[in-house]
Amino acid sequence: MSDRPTATGSDNRALRAARIVGFLAKYRHIAAFSEVAAEPGGALAPKPGAEAGAEAFVRDLEALGPAFVKLGQALSTRPDLLPPDVHRALGRMHDRVEPTLPYAQVRELVERGLDVRLTRVFKRFDPEPLGSASLAQVHRAQLRDGRAVAVKVRRPGIEQVIAVDLDILSGLARTADRLTQTGRRLHFADWLDEFHRSLLGELDYRAEAHALERFGRHLAPYPQLYVPQPVWSLCAPGVIVMDLVQGRSVLELSGLLRTERDFGELAAQLLRAYLDQTYLHGEIHADPHPGNVLLDADGRLAVIDLGMIVHVPPQRRERLLKFMLAALDGRGEDAASEAIGVAVRLESFDEVRYRREIGHLVGRYSAQQCDDGLAEGTLLIEVVRVSVACGLRPPAELGLLGRTLLNLQQVARALAPDLDIDAVARPHLQRLMRQRLAHAFSLSALAAESLELQGLLRDGPRKLQSLLSLLADNRLQVSVAGLEESRLMEALQKIANRISTGAIAAALILASAIIMRVDTPYRLFGYPALALILFLLACLLGLGLVVSALLGDRRAPSRKSPPP
C-alpha cells in the first residue's frame, strides 16, 4: 500500500502540507496553475504525449487520499479549470478501492452509530463487504423481518483527515486568488468552499437518505426505474441502511442479451427521468456513471449512490433549459444570450468574440447531430471552455450538467446502441418548456404575481416621494460597489505612486544642491558625500520612473469591434 494518509491521521499537518505543495509544484503546468487557457473551438483535441501526463496526474491525485479523490471527481465537472487531456482522465476516475475494515470494527461502528446491538436489528450480517471505497464500506445484511438491505458505514476518522486537507487547500487557494491572474478570475477559494460544503453533506448519510426518498418520488412516473429506499429508523450520520439492489452494471450486458431483449424503452425512460430531475425538480445527480446504474433480475434499472447531489435554482434552471432548446434548434445567438444570462461577466469579457464562438459551436453541433447523435454533454463542456477564454465565468452547474449528460449517453449506448437519443430528448425538453409556461399562467402563479403587483402599487408612491425629497434636499447619494477592485482604481494608484516618486526625486535633487554648498570633511570624488548620495538616489528613482513608463504603459485598446 502507498504512503497515502489514512483515517488514523498519522501524517502531521506540516508533512501533509509539504506533500500537497509538492504535488502542486510538480503539476504547475496544469492550466489552473499556469494561466494557460484552452483555445476555443479545438478544446477537446488531444495534444501529443499529453495523455500520459494526465494519467500520472490522476494517479498522484488519488495517492493523496480520499479528499483528493473527491476533489478529482468534482474537478471532472469543471472543464474551465483544467486542460482537456486532464479533464478526460479525471472523467474516467472513480472512487478507488481501499483496504477493508475488519468486521469487529464495522460492528462497533454500526452499533455505536445506531445505538443498538447488531443482533437485535439484523438477522444476518455478512462480514465480507460488498464494496470498500475511500469514504465508506458497504455490507450485505438481512433485517429481522427478512428484508434484504445494504449497510453503508463511514470510515472512522475520515472527517478529520478531510478537514485537514481542505484547510490546507483553502489557504493555498486564497493565496492563488490574491497573487495570480487566474485566481482573481476564477476565485479558487469560493469554489473550494462550495466543494467543502458539498463534501460535508456527503459525509452525513442522513442527507443521502433524504435524496433517496426524493428521487424515489420523482421516479414514480417511470415504472421501470427506481432507487433503493432507506430504512429511516436505521439511519444516522455515519450509518445508512437501505434496500439491497441485486443487479449488474449496464456495461456488463452481453450482445446476446441485447438481441434477446429490447432495452430501448428502458434507456429512454432513464434519459427522460434525468431531464426531469435537472429541469423540473432542479437536482443533478452528479455521478450517474455506468457503475451506479444497475439492471436487476426483474429487468428494471436501479440508480444507486446518491451521495453527491447538486441543486439548481429555478431561474438558472429555466435559463439552462432555454439554452438546450436553442442549441437543439441550431439558434446560436439565442444560446449565447442564455449562456451569458447565467454567467458572471469579467472585466476582460469580449462579448462579440463570445457570441461568434458560441454560434460556431452550436452550428457545428447542430450539423453533426445526424452523424454522431446527441452530444449535449460535449457541447456544454466546450461552452464552458469558450466562456473562460472570452472572459466569462460560467456557473458550476454548466460543467456538471455536461459531465452528467456524457455519463448518461454512455449508459444509454450500453443499453441500446441504436437508440436515437435526439428523438427522445428533443420532444421531452419541449414538453418540459410547455409545462413551465403552463405553470407560469396557473392560478397560483398569477396570484403570486398579483401580490407582487399589489406591493408595487402600494409602496411605489411612498418610495417615489422619498426619492424626490432626497433630490430636493441635495442628499441623494449613489454608491458604486467594486470600485476598489476595478482597473480605474489600479490606474489611479499607479499615477499616485509615480507622482509621489517624482516628487521625492525632485526633493532629493534640491536637497543635494543645497547640501553641495556646505563645507564638510566627508567627500566623494571631491564632492560632499551626503549631497552626492542624495543626487545618485534621485537619479535612480528618476531612471526607475522612465523604465516603468516604457515597460509598463501600453496603449488603450481600440473601441472598434473586431470583424465578425
Side-chain angles (χ1 to χ4, degrees):
M1 195 63 195
S2 66
D3 58 345
R4 61 188 298 179
T6 62
T8 60
S10 57
D11 288 351
N12 63 51
R13 184 183 179 87
L15 290 177
R16 190 66 182 149
R19 288 193 64 190
I20 295 172
V21 172
F23 170 81
L24 296 178
K26 180 179 179 180
Y27 294 103
R28 61 188 179 276
H29 61 282
I30 298 300
F33 312 132
S34 65
E35 318 265 352
V36 177
E39 286 296 328
L44 296 181
K47 299 178 181 179
E51 291 295 337
E55 296 297 338
F57 173 83
V58 172
R59 286 196 301 271
D60 289 348
L61 190 69
E62 289 175 334
L64 283 173
F68 288 84
V69 172
K70 293 299 179 183
L71 182 63
Q73 293 175 347
L75 285 173
S76 70
T77 68
R78 294 298 304 270
D80 53 324
L81 297 182
L82 295 169
D85 51 296
V86 176
H87 180 254
R88 284 192 296 270
L90 287 172
R92 297 188 293 269
M93 183 182 74
H94 302 306
D95 217 345
R96 64 184 294 168
V97 176
E98 293 284 339
T100 59
L101 297 173
Y103 173 67
Q105 189 176 14
V106 172
R107 177 171 183 162
E108 179 185 355
L109 290 171
V110 174
E111 290 181 345
R112 187 167 67 240
L114 301 180
D115 196 22
V116 66
R117 292 185 63 83
L118 199 72
T119 54
R120 296 198 60 178
V121 178
F122 301 102
K123 185 178 181 180
R124 282 198 300 271
F125 194 98
D126 192 351
E128 294 297 322
L130 286 172
S132 179
S134 59
L135 300 184
Q137 189 164 298
V138 182
H139 287 258
R140 183 197 310 264
Q142 187 179 30
L143 298 179
R144 284 292 178 181
D145 59 4
R147 181 179 176 183
V149 293
V151 183
K152 188 175 180 180
V153 185
R154 189 176 63 200
R155 288 182 174 271
I158 199 69
E159 309 99 308
Q160 290 78 10
V161 174
I162 289 176
V164 170
D165 285 350
L166 291 182
D167 187 50
I168 295 171
L169 281 174
S170 295
L172 295 173
R174 286 192 293 270
T175 302
D177 289 351
R178 189 171 62 253
L179 299 180
T180 69
Q181 181 179 352
T182 302
R184 289 190 291 270
R185 186 176 75 247
L186 298 178
H187 293 265
F188 294 135
D190 293 345
W191 180 81
L192 202 60
D193 288 342
E194 183 179 345
F195 167 72
H196 193 179
R197 289 192 298 270
S198 174
L199 189 53
L200 288 179
E202 190 173 351
L203 288 173
D204 187 350
Y205 291 153
R206 292 173 299 186
E208 182 174 352
H210 283 290
L212 289 170
E213 194 172 56
R214 286 197 312 275
F215 270 65
R217 292 195 303 267
H218 297 163
L219 293 181
Y222 303 97
Q224 292 183 284
L225 307 177
Y226 72 99
V227 296
Q229 291 302 292
V231 183
W232 275 109
S233 59
L234 300 177
C235 291
V239 180
I240 179 174
V241 179
M242 68 189 88
D243 293 329
L244 178 66
V245 177
Q246 301 184 15
R248 50 181 169 173
S249 170
V250 294
L251 293 182
E252 299 175 2
L253 301 181
S254 64
L256 179 61
L257 182 60
R258 283 198 293 264
T259 58
E260 293 176 349
R261 297 178 56 183
D262 183 13
F263 294 109
E265 180 57 27
L266 199 60
Q269 286 197 19
L270 182 66
L271 289 171
R272 295 188 190 105
Y274 265 89
L275 293 176
D276 285 350
Q277 285 296 134
T278 302
Y279 298 113
L280 187 61
H281 306 297
E283 290 187 313
I284 302 177
H285 177 207
D287 199 21
H289 64 80
N292 286 340
V293 181
L294 306 179
L295 181 69
D296 67 10
D298 297 332
R300 297 193 301 163
L301 280 182
V303 182
I304 62 174
D305 194 7
L306 300 185
M308 191 174 177
I309 302 294
V310 176
H311 300 273
V312 186
Q315 290 186 351
R316 185 166 295 178
R317 196 187 315 164
E318 184 173 343
R319 288 271 192 179
L320 290 175
L321 178 57
K322 290 180 179 178
F323 172 84
M324 291 309 306
L325 287 172
L328 284 170
D329 294 338
R331 293 181 281 113
E333 184 69 22
D334 293 340
S337 298
E338 298 300 335
I340 292 173
V342 296
V344 177
R345 298 172 182 241
L346 303 179
E347 290 185 4
S348 59
F349 177 49
D350 187 344
E351 184 170 353
V352 174
R353 177 191 171 192
Y354 182 75
R355 290 184 180 275
R356 182 176 66 248
E357 295 289 346
I358 295 298
H360 290 166
L361 271 178
V362 170
R364 190 172 75 246
Y365 156 76
S366 181
Q368 290 177 352
Q369 281 187 43
C370 299
D371 301 327
D372 302 334
L374 194 67
E376 289 108 327
T378 303
L379 173 68
L380 289 176
I381 288 174
E382 289 208 33
V383 166
V384 172
R385 294 192 194 280
V386 171
S387 299
V388 174
C390 294
L392 196 67
R393 187 190 303 154
E397 292 89 349
L398 202 62
L400 177 60
L401 183 57
R403 182 83 256 163
T404 300
L405 291 175
L406 283 178
N407 284 332
L408 276 177
Q409 185 177 0
Q410 185 182 6
V411 173
R413 293 299 184 204
L415 285 168
D418 298 329
L419 178 67
D420 187 352
I421 303 178
D422 181 27
V424 175
R426 183 190 296 266
H428 195 70
L429 287 172
Q430 292 172 347
R431 187 174 68 84
L432 291 176
M433 179 58 77
R434 288 195 297 269
Q435 286 182 354
R436 294 191 66 86
L437 290 175
H439 177 72
F441 291 101
S442 64
L443 290 177
S444 58
L446 291 176
E449 294 296 333
S450 64
L451 290 176
E452 292 288 338
L453 180 60
Q454 179 187 2
L456 177 63
L457 294 175
R458 183 181 62 248
D459 300 334
R462 179 175 54 82
K463 291 182 178 180
L464 180 60
Q465 182 182 4
S466 300
L467 179 63
L468 293 175
S469 299
L470 291 173
L471 189 60
D473 297 339
N474 199 21
R475 290 187 294 116
L476 183 64
Q477 297 180 350
V478 179
S479 175
V480 180
L483 185 61
E484 66 278 1
E485 299 178 359
S486 67
R487 289 185 178 179
L488 175 61
M489 184 59 67
E490 183 180 353
L492 290 176
Q493 288 176 348
K494 289 181 179 180
I495 293 172
N497 291 337
R498 290 185 182 181
I499 292 175
S500 301
T501 305
I504 293 173
L508 290 175
I509 292 175
L510 289 175
S512 66
I514 295 173
I515 297 175
M516 192 71 72
R517 302 186 178 202
V518 177
D519 190 16
T520 173
Y522 303 103
R523 291 180 173 271
L524 287 174
F525 306 108
Y527 297 98
L530 181 59
L532 187 60
I533 291 173
L534 294 178
F535 179 75
L536 292 175
L537 184 58
C539 290
L540 289 176
L541 290 175
L543 183 62
L545 278 176
V546 173
V547 172
S548 174
L550 292 176
L551 297 181
D553 290 356
R554 56 187 176 84
R555 294 179 59 188
S558 174
R559 293 293 181 183
K560 295 182 179 180
S561 300

